[in-house]
Each structure stands twice: as structure tokens, then as C-alpha cells.
Amino acid sequence: MNLGKRTYSSVRWATISSVARILIQTIQLLVLARLLSPEDFGTMAVVTSLFAIVNLFPDFGIGRAVIHYRDLSQRQLSSLYWINIIFSLAFCSILIISSQLLGALYSNSELPQLIIIASFLFPITAIGFLHRILAEKNLQFRVLALIEIFAAIAGISAAIGTAVLGGGASAFATGLIAQALGLSLASVLLLNSKWKPTLSFSFRESVHLVKFGSYAVADALLNTLRHQADILIAALFVGPAALGYYSFARDICLKVGPVIGQILNRVSLPAMSIARDDRHKLERMYLQVLRANCSINFPLYVFMAVFSTELLALFFGETWSKSSELLSIMAIYGIFRATGHPLGNLIYSTGEVRLGLIWNLSLAVIIPAILLVATAAGGMNGLAWALAFSYLALIYPSWLFLMKPLCKTDLNDYIEQIWLPLIISVLSVLPIRWLSTNIAGELHIIVIAGVSTVPVYILLSRFFNRPFYQNILTLVK
């Protein structure tokens, strides 16, 4: 099977996995929204943001290095495996020791216990980490999809069970632990047919991989700091309840865009790494990924922004009505954020991790400063609007400093991948919003709007967004 067919097959299985996990996560969110309070969501939002940052260190960029370099030896792979295990145990210990300090910093007595429980994610995840990376490198997404679905089911079962028993915010932490256990155990059992770790270890033979990984992890750290800054800053200004309403709207948006981006990124990174020596082919592949990402994300986000009140009332209940305006703003933020999803793959596939590091270092300084001022002046709404406009302002600089030097992308070609799906999305949703104003009941509005929007969007895409339409047909076939 050639690279093109393998890539489409991988996209298909990655899509199946991600859609299944989205459904499972959505069910979990629907259930927990009715079992837990906004305070529980706000408390766990801080834990999740902290762990999103710290979780980068145990990996130390090893996954990126393994995908980038070809023909790694058994000894090198085993060395990387044990390095990952050692780092994971170290960071687990560091978090346990610092849990009380973090609880005092955010004036939240529940944080230390949740941090201690969640800290065991690191060594558990490390056990099967390299098995999954090697499977991704070889585009073995069928078995990966089945493993990830199994792990997601284990996670939701543990989370809902803990919530039913009155565990409060710890339901999130126990769900994460159960999911990590399922993921690692299944990976070790099902993905070790071609490789398994041995006791051999040579840091000298792996030092260049660790060096590459150090740039990658520094870049990812700065990127993650930028993406988690809003929660960590907001927690300093507002209580758990207000943070809960904000993080709830944020979580709904992050269940959509980044997951879709991950489907494309997981498959496109190995494919782009293979094509990195042919810059014309790399440019074409990058633009295809960007158009697909925008064409899938934009209609979902526009729909979410326009029908935020009805969506929250229908699926999550009146408890979360205070998140309605925030959800609309966060959906706009999601639109602009989606334009940057494929950038990381372009950087890693070309090996230009230093350039990515400089870019993210700049943003990690500028954006948190903007968010800090916006939160102090405008509260949660000010924070949300600051996020949206910050990512809108990044569209041109990201082309100038990253896309243009890395794959010689023309500005007009780049902008076309963004504005065309956005206009089609707006034209598909806004007229239906206007026509639904006289319809009574959230269920009727959402069903009629959803059923009407999909065919309109597909029809407009067939005539005005032909490349995306053809790619979807190929994927379905």
C-alpha cells in the first residue's frame, strides 16, 4: 500500500477513534454536569491545566524524536523507554511533594488531594507510551483506535462511578487514572509484537535524540503554557464557581476543535516527515491539512456560537445557563485557534524545532500578559474576548515567520484555506438561525437547525470548496 492509501486508511481509523472518544467524553460531560457542581468543574480545571503543562516533561519530546529519526536501533529505543520511565517517576514525586504548596497558592483545600491522585498518571502512561509512538510512526492506527476506545470506556466508567458515590471533583482524577491504566496495559499487550523494551541502556547512543526532544519539549511547554494561561490566571482572580462556568464553556469548545485537529495531526506528522525533503509536496500536504481542519471545525464552531443558549439548556440544564455568552465567545476563539493546528507538524516534520521554540517563547510572554490585563479589567468575558482577538492577530505573523520560510507557502494560498470555509460556514448557519426565531423549545430548534445546516454546508462545499469535498469522498470510499 502506497503512502497516500496508507495515510487515508490511517485518517479513517484515527477518525473512528476520535469520534468514538468524543462521544464518550460528551456523554461523560453530560452526566457529570448533572452530578457535580460548577465549583467541582472549576477546581478540576486548575488541576487539568497544571497537568497539561507538567505532563510534557516526563515524555521529554521522545515521541517527536522517534517519529522524526529513521532506523533507530533496539538499544536506542530501549534507552528512550527507560529514560521516559525515570522522568515520569521523578515528576510524580515532585508533584506529590508540591501539592500542598499549590493548594495554598490557589487558596483551594481540595487541590492537594486531586494533585496527588492525578500525579500517578505519569508513570502509568509511560509504561505503554513508546509502544504507541512506534505504532503511530508505522501508521498502525487500526489497533491504536481500538485501544483508545477501550481506554476511554474505562475512564468514563470510573469517573461516573466516583461521581455517583459522592466523590465530587475527584471523579475527574479517577477517570483519568482508569483511562491511563487501560491505555498502557492494552498497548503493552497488543503492540509489542515487533518491539519490546530490554534492559539495555546507552545514554551516549541516545543523546542526540534527547537533545532533539529537549527542543521539542521546550517548544511544547511554551505552547502549552500559552494555551493553559487563561485558566491559571483566572483562578487567581475568581472563585471555583465562576471559574467553573468559564472552564465549562471552554471544555465544550476544546472537545471539538483540538480533537479534530489531533486526528489530522497524528496522521499528517509521519506523512509530512516522509515528505520533508520535497518542499513542494510538503507545502501541498500542509495546505490540504489546513483546509480540512478549517472546513470541519468552522461550521461546528459557528453553529455553537449562534445556538449557544439552546445547546446548553438542552444538553446540560439550566445550571449552566450562565455559560451561554462565554460559550459563544469561546466558539469564536475556537475558529481562530483552529487555523494554527497544523503548524506544529510543519515545524517538527522539517526538524526546525529551534524556530518553533523562538515562536512559542514570544507568544508565551505576550499572550499571558494580555490575558492578565483583560481578566483584571473585564472578568471572564474580558478574558474570553482577549483570547479570541489574540489568535485572530496571529494569523499573519504565523505565515510570515513560520509557513513562508518552512514550506514557501504563498500568503494568498494560505488565506484562501481559511476565509473560504469560514464564509461557507456563516452562510450555512446564520440564515437558519434567523428562520428558527419563531420555533418553540430548545430540542426543536437544535434538531431543525442541525438537520438544515448539514446539507446546506455540504452543497455549498461541493461548489465552492471542491478540494475538501473531494477529500471527504475519498475518505468515505
Side-chain angles (χ1 to χ4, degrees):
M1 187 182 295
N2 62 36
L3 179 60
K5 291 183 178 179
R6 290 174 63 200
T7 301
Y8 273 113
S9 175
S10 299
V11 170
R12 187 180 294 114
W13 278 105
T15 301
I16 291 171
S17 171
S18 293
V19 169
R21 286 183 291 125
I22 289 172
L23 289 174
I24 293 169
Q25 291 169 4
T26 301
I27 293 170
Q28 176 175 307
L29 191 63
L30 287 167
V31 175
L32 294 184
R34 297 179 184 275
L35 293 174
L36 303 179
S37 67
E39 288 84 356
D40 292 327
F41 276 84
T43 298
M44 197 58 200
V46 178
V47 176
T48 303
S49 293
L50 288 171
F51 273 75
I53 296 169
V54 180
N55 192 41
L56 299 169
F57 291 99
D59 171 322
F60 212 73
I62 288 171
R64 300 288 187 181
V66 169
I67 289 178
H68 179 76
Y69 286 96
R70 300 164 184 166
D71 302 321
L72 296 176
S73 68
Q74 168 72 24
R75 188 179 182 87
Q76 286 175 313
L77 290 172
S78 292
S79 299
L80 292 175
Y81 181 84
W82 294 116
I83 288 172
N84 191 22
I85 292 288
I86 291 169
F87 280 143
S88 298
L89 290 171
F91 277 94
C92 176
S93 302
I94 290 170
L95 276 169
I96 291 174
I97 293 170
S98 60
S99 60
Q100 294 295 331
L101 178 63
L102 290 169
L105 175 64
Y106 286 101
S107 304
N108 192 321
S109 59
E110 287 189 80
L111 274 182
Q113 179 185 355
L114 294 175
I115 290 172
I116 291 172
I117 294 172
S119 64
F120 290 97
L121 279 169
F122 299 129
I124 292 171
T125 302
I127 293 171
F129 173 74
L130 200 54
H131 296 79
R132 294 191 299 279
I133 291 298
L134 289 171
E136 284 191 20
K137 183 175 183 177
N138 295 318
L139 300 179
Q140 297 173 337
F141 282 92
R142 179 180 178 276
V143 65
L144 281 170
L146 298 176
I147 289 172
E148 289 165 355
I149 293 170
F150 164 75
I153 293 172
I156 187 176
S157 301
I160 293 176
T162 304
V164 169
L165 294 175
S170 63
F172 295 100
T174 53
L176 291 173
I177 291 292
Q179 183 171 345
L181 277 170
L183 193 62
S184 285
L185 290 176
S187 297
V188 171
L189 292 173
L190 300 177
L191 297 174
N192 65 353
S193 57
K194 293 186 178 180
W195 177 84
K196 59 182 178 180
T198 65
L199 294 178
S200 60
F201 183 89
S202 173
F203 186 78
R204 184 178 61 84
E205 292 183 19
S206 306
V207 66
H208 68 289
L209 300 171
V210 175
K211 184 178 180 180
F212 178 92
S214 66
Y215 285 114
V217 77
D219 172 59
L221 172 62
L222 294 170
N223 193 34
T224 305
L225 277 171
R226 171 163 53 97
H227 290 315
Q228 301 299 329
D230 59 330
I231 291 291
L232 298 178
I233 289 172
L236 297 173
F237 287 89
V238 301
L243 181 60
Y245 288 117
Y246 173 86
S247 66
F248 189 77
R250 180 182 185 269
D251 285 348
I252 294 174
C253 287
L254 295 183
K255 288 286 186 294
V256 179
V259 173
I260 293 169
Q262 287 166 14
I263 299 172
L264 299 170
N265 288 348
R266 286 182 67 185
V267 177
S268 64
L269 177 58
M272 290 170 72
S273 296
I274 294 171
R276 65 177 179 261
D277 296 327
D278 185 343
R279 289 304 166 101
H280 177 69
K281 185 176 181 179
L282 181 64
E283 177 197 11
R284 187 172 68 251
M285 192 176 295
Y286 172 77
L287 291 177
Q288 286 176 345
V289 173
L290 177 61
R291 181 179 287 246
N293 196 54
C294 294
S295 298
I296 296 171
N297 275 303
F298 286 0
L300 295 174
Y301 278 130
V302 172
F303 190 91
M304 192 181 298
V306 171
F307 292 98
S308 61
T309 301
E310 291 82 3
L311 286 169
L312 287 172
L314 176 62
F315 292 107
F316 303 104
E318 293 300 324
T319 301
W320 298 100
S321 60
K322 293 181 181 180
S323 296
S324 175
E325 185 177 355
L326 286 167
L327 181 58
S328 295
I329 303 170
M330 294 303 292
I332 296 171
Y333 153 66
I335 289 173
F336 300 131
R337 187 173 187 256
T339 63
H341 284 167
L343 272 177
N345 280 4
L346 182 62
I347 292 168
Y348 291 123
S349 63
T350 56
E352 297 291 343
V353 288
R354 291 187 183 184
L355 182 59
L357 182 62
I358 294 170
W359 170 258
N360 279 318
L361 178 60
S362 303
L363 298 186
V365 173
I366 296 170
I367 290 184
I370 293 173
L371 300 184
L372 183 64
V373 173
T375 306
M380 295 295 93
N381 282 13
L383 173 61
W385 278 119
L387 269 176
F389 286 118
S390 295
Y391 279 80
L392 171 62
L394 288 177
I395 291 178
Y396 177 76
S398 65
W399 168 80
L400 182 64
F401 294 109
L402 295 176
M403 280 167 267
K404 185 180 179 181
L406 291 180
C407 64
K408 313 300 182 186
T409 303
D410 181 75
L411 178 60
N412 291 329
D413 291 339
Y414 167 54
I415 296 298
E416 181 182 345
Q417 316 309 313
I418 299 172
W419 72 261
L420 189 58
L422 182 57
I423 290 176
I424 293 174
S425 299
V426 171
L427 291 176
S428 300
V429 176
L430 285 187
I432 294 171
R433 166 80 274 187
W434 178 73
L435 292 172
S436 65
T437 52
N438 294 323
I439 300 175
E442 293 87 3
L443 177 61
H444 295 110
I445 292 174
I446 295 300
V447 170
I448 293 172
V451 170
S452 304
T453 299
V454 172
V456 172
Y457 184 75
I458 293 174
L459 184 63
L460 289 175
S461 296
R462 180 182 180 185
F463 289 102
F464 301 106
N465 193 6
R466 194 74 181 176
F468 169 69
Y469 181 79
Q470 291 295 340
N471 284 336
I472 293 298
L473 289 182
T474 303
L475 181 62
V476 172
K477 293 176 181 178

